[in-house]
Amino acid sequence: MALIVQKYGGTSVGSPDRIKNLARRVARFKALGHQIVVVVSAMSGETNRLISLAKEIMPEPDPRELDVMVATGEQVTIGLTAMALMELGLKAKSYTGSQVRIVTDNAHTKARILSIDEERIRADLDAGYVVVVAGFQGVDESGNITTLGRGGSDTTGVALAAALKADECQIYTDVDGVYTTDPRVVPEARRLKSITFEEMLELASQGSKVLQIRSVEFAGKYKVKLRVLSSFEEDGEGTLITFEDPENKDSNMEQPIISGIAFNRDEAKIMVLGVPDKPGIAYQILGPIADAKIDVDMIIQNMGADGTTDFTFTVHKNDMAKALGILNQVQAHIGAREIRGDDKIAKVSIVGVGMRSHVGIASQMFRTLAEEGINIQMISTSEIKIAVVIDEKYMELAVRVLHKAFELEEA
Ligand code: ASP
Ligand code: MG
């Protein structure tokens, strides 16, 4: 007997038929003698619908009130899911986040989980119930309803699995696992049997959208065994997200060096050209950007030869105009010659723990891009990732040739 947390995303609860389908799957697991906690998202499209509804009343919705209303999406699906389970003859009980007491901080719309009261759930499980919990929501210490940020039900699932010390947290979604890259771009992309937490984190932060990043961090921190599976398949094994296992690695000599390729078109590049090469410049440029709460991703500064230097960084496309506005105001003070923005860029990253033990991965990546005449505008690296910024019109080509060059289509 195992304790399993199963999280179902919006498409998996998108209609009564799909909810019935979900209930049948839960019943199969229950019949095997497992204890099951189900975490559900709102029906697909519902959270977006609620947010636009709010914006029709208040263009910049009050965060506390927004949480009160968007949390209703999940309140609907927990009730429906519990009913579907009952219709199959199972004992089921639903709870909102605040009923469980998933306690969060008070950062409305992006709250963080502080603690979970798991006793009630445990008592229900022991009494034979399937417990259905609303994803995405919690309650702060003063009793206000909070939400965990878009995609937050993944984090609810993982956090409950951690609190209950579950044997596995299964994330059911509309894809059957984590792929080497997006199959819509590379049809030969392959499902990975397993991937490490670190790789998954890099892929997620580089634009691969299978799981909410925070849920992966959480799972890594609390050592929750995490599996991504399709809710439309009877018995796929999905992708297991796991720890690097040195023993396993030795026995598996053919482990690929690169696990996946991520890409996104969400960023814009900002160039601050001809700034004096002296202490404090990076701070004078990025200080006001940070004060405006604009997230900066890549940062590059060249070594100055003639006493001036160029400073380039990337921000989300939506923040480009704001960032340029801020920099234009401080341009004279900084002494920059010119400030330019470019949002026609894409970022492509290769990720793999095998990079730690293999040399020449970067040069192979750059050669592959060079052979296609693709110019690299920026480069950044971590221990297990190499990311490049290129012209957005070459993005798909770059992903395809890299997928081939690193032989990712081969199992
Ligand atoms: N319903 C929320 C959203 O759409 C949370 C989730 O689905 O994970 O972002
Ligand atoms: Mg989701």
Side-chain angles (χ1 to χ4, degrees):
M1 186 191 78
L3 199 171
I4 301 171
V5 174
Q6 300 189 332
K7 181 263 167 178
Y8 291 90
T11 44
S12 316
V13 292
S15 67
D17 277 338
R18 290 199 174 156
I19 293 175
K20 289 179 190 171
N21 200 37
L22 171 174
R24 281 191 288 272
R25 180 190 303 275
V26 173
R28 284 199 298 278
F29 275 87
K30 196 82 180 70
L32 294 171
H34 300 311
Q35 293 188 321
I36 311 288
V37 175
V38 177
V39 174
V40 286
S41 291
M43 289 174 142
S44 52
E46 179 64 6
T47 307
N48 288 340
R49 188 185 74 84
L50 292 168
I51 292 172
S52 29
L53 203 55
K55 286 185 175 162
E56 279 184 45
I57 302 278
M58 193 176 191
E60 298 238 3
D62 177 79
R64 182 187 181 278
E65 303 312 323
L66 186 63
D67 277 353
V68 165
M69 59 131 8
V70 295
T72 61
E74 275 74 9
Q75 190 167 337
V76 170
T77 48
I78 53 169
L80 292 174
T81 302
M83 289 181 213
L85 291 164
M86 288 172 181
E87 281 291 296
L88 296 180
L90 298 174
K91 285 166 65 173
K93 215 185 246 186
S94 73
Y95 293 106
T96 65
S98 68
Q99 285 176 317
V100 172
R101 276 194 76 72
I102 295 178
V103 179
T104 70
D105 61 18
N106 62 4
H108 284 289
T109 77
K110 47 179 183 302
R112 285 185 176 265
I113 296 176
L114 301 176
S115 67
I116 294 183
D117 214 338
E118 85 292 351
E119 262 145 62
R120 199 158 159 194
I121 296 182
R122 216 183 278 285
D124 286 337
L125 290 173
D126 290 341
Y129 284 92
V130 174
V131 178
V132 186
V133 178
F136 178 55
Q137 51 176 267
V139 63
D140 74 5
E141 267 146 359
S142 347
N144 300 299
I145 292 174
T146 55
T147 65
L148 309 179
R150 299 308 305 270
S153 299
D154 292 342
T155 299
T156 306
V158 172
L160 275 170
L164 290 161
K165 303 199 172 46
D167 295 284
E168 188 164 305
C169 179
Q170 303 176 338
I171 308 274
Y172 288 92
T173 173
D174 47 4
V175 294
D176 64 352
V178 179
Y179 274 68
T180 50
T181 195
D182 188 337
R184 284 170 298 190
V185 172
V186 184
E188 295 79 23
R190 191 171 46 80
R191 179 177 56 82
L192 295 161
K193 281 198 164 61
S194 71
I195 185 169
T196 68
F197 280 102
E198 284 172 290
E199 290 169 322
M200 193 63 223
L201 269 181
E202 286 284 9
L203 287 176
S205 66
Q206 301 303 316
S208 163
K209 294 191 181 70
V210 189
L211 287 171
Q212 198 201 30
I213 294 182
R214 214 194 271 178
S215 71
V216 183
E217 284 169 359
F218 214 105
K221 190 164 161 201
Y222 293 97
K223 303 226 185 304
V224 174
K225 198 169 148 198
L226 193 60
R227 193 185 289 277
V228 176
L229 304 134
S230 162
S231 55
F232 303 116
E233 276 180 9
E234 277 274 309
D235 47 22
E237 58 166 13
T239 300
L240 180 67
I241 301 163
T242 182
F243 291 91
E244 230 177 311
D245 176 358
E247 279 172 50
N248 194 17
K249 221 174 167 190
D250 286 342
S251 64
N252 194 350
M253 300 289 284
E254 293 306 312
Q255 268 235 327
I257 299 164
I258 301 303
S259 293
I261 302 179
F263 52 84
N264 75 63
R265 289 190 185 87
D266 302 339
E267 291 179 35
K269 180 175 79 171
I270 294 185
M271 290 158 282
V272 186
L273 304 173
V275 290
D277 188 9
K278 63 175 197 214
I281 285 296
Y283 173 63
Q284 282 175 39
I285 294 171
L286 292 182
I289 299 290
D291 291 343
K293 300 226 170 355
I294 297 174
D295 266 335
V296 172
D297 181 28
M298 290 164 112
I299 303 172
I300 287 185
Q301 191 203 298
N302 298 329
M303 214 158 60
D306 59 351
T308 73
T309 182
D310 299 335
F311 192 93
T312 310
F313 60 98
T314 63
V315 296
H316 194 279
K317 263 185 191 164
N318 298 344
D319 289 328
M320 182 173 93
K322 194 168 162 196
L324 288 173
I326 291 168
L327 290 174
N328 283 327
Q329 277 176 20
V330 293
Q331 177 175 6
H333 176 68
I334 298 171
R337 187 181 71 240
E338 193 185 342
I339 290 164
R340 259 192 249 164
D342 177 4
D343 62 1
K344 301 276 179 290
I345 59 162
K347 186 163 79 168
V348 176
S349 319
I350 60 173
V351 172
V353 288
M355 261 181 228
R356 288 200 184 112
S357 45
H358 287 78
V359 294
I361 307 302
S363 71
Q364 189 181 350
M365 180 185 196
F366 302 155
R367 170 161 33 90
T368 305
L369 296 175
E371 279 165 4
E372 297 298 328
I374 299 172
N375 185 42
I376 301 172
Q377 303 176 12
M378 297 173 82
I379 301 170
S380 87
T381 63
S382 80
E383 227 190 328
I384 63 163
K385 175 206 73 191
I386 305 167
V388 296
V389 166
I390 58 174
D391 187 323
E392 73 170 2
K393 66 175 180 262
Y394 298 121
M395 188 186 81
E396 299 200 353
L397 173 65
V399 174
R400 277 199 302 275
V401 294
L402 289 170
H403 199 271
K404 196 158 186 55
F406 288 101
E407 300 176 349
L408 288 178
E409 74 278 3
E410 283 151 40

